Amino acid sequence: MNKPAVLAQFLAVLKAELAALTRAAQGAFAAATDPDSKAENKYDTRTLEASYVARGQAKRVTELQEAVRAFEALSGTELAAGAAITLGALVSLETPEETAHYFIGPFAGGTEIVHEGSEIVVITPASALGQKLLGQRVGDAIALRPGALAKIIAVV
């Protein structure tokens, strides 16, 4: 797999999500501050609810901005043969049922892309799988769950 292309594809997904969420946050802010959305009576909570949504979306925008910056700081260079898994590694695991591909990213765990016909999922070092993979090398086996082992077949 082409690691720089994978990294660029994850960045494109994160930037598109950031742009969409930024527009939504601006809309929520406008709704929360619109003079026409004043409460009509003491039970009308539209403005309060809109402000909660705007605050939540603004927080998510900040998190996505941080994720984009962190992904941009990652090196797209491939790891040397036999290198241990670290942040920014592209890892392939093989089980008897399938081969799975993961990118060890600083943020955005669960983000998925399809690259060259293979699904690649971001996992973070804080995740259970990320903790098991860090420091491992090609040929090592890890326990995914009791009785289920996966062999590391590639680290890029």
Side-chain angles (χ1 to χ4, degrees):
M1 285 191 202
N2 182 338
K3 186 175 173 181
V6 168
L7 186 55
Q9 198 171 345
F10 275 121
L11 267 168
V13 167
L14 291 173
K15 286 179 178 180
E17 187 178 339
L18 176 60
L21 193 58
T22 299
R23 286 189 301 274
Q26 290 168 341
F29 178 77
T33 58
D34 187 349
D36 292 336
S37 68
K38 284 187 177 183
E40 294 175 6
N41 58 51
K42 67 181 184 178
Y43 302 108
D44 186 355
T45 60
R46 283 180 293 177
T47 305
L48 180 62
E49 291 167 4
S51 71
Y52 288 153
V53 170
R55 186 174 3 181
Q57 287 179 329
K59 182 179 177 190
R60 181 69 180 127
V61 165
T62 301
E63 291 168 355
L64 270 173
Q65 288 170 333
E66 189 175 344
V68 167
R69 281 192 298 275
F71 270 81
E72 286 174 335
L74 290 176
S75 169
T77 59
E78 296 186 5
L79 298 175
I85 296 171
T86 61
L87 188 66
L90 186 55
V91 181
S92 297
L93 297 179
E94 183 178 64
T95 65
E97 299 84 30
E98 67 178 341
T99 299
H101 308 282
Y102 300 98
F103 185 85
I104 313 295
F107 292 97
T111 302
E112 300 176 5
I113 63 166
V114 175
H115 180 74
E116 297 176 355
S118 297
E119 181 180 281
I120 304 171
V121 179
V122 172
I123 58 172
T124 65
S127 70
L129 182 56
Q131 291 174 7
K132 290 178 183 180
L133 287 173
L134 286 179
Q136 301 295 320
R137 299 173 192 282
V138 170
D140 291 344
I142 60 164
L144 295 178
R145 57 187 177 280
L149 291 177
K151 184 177 179 181
I152 300 169
I153 60 170
V155 176
V156 181

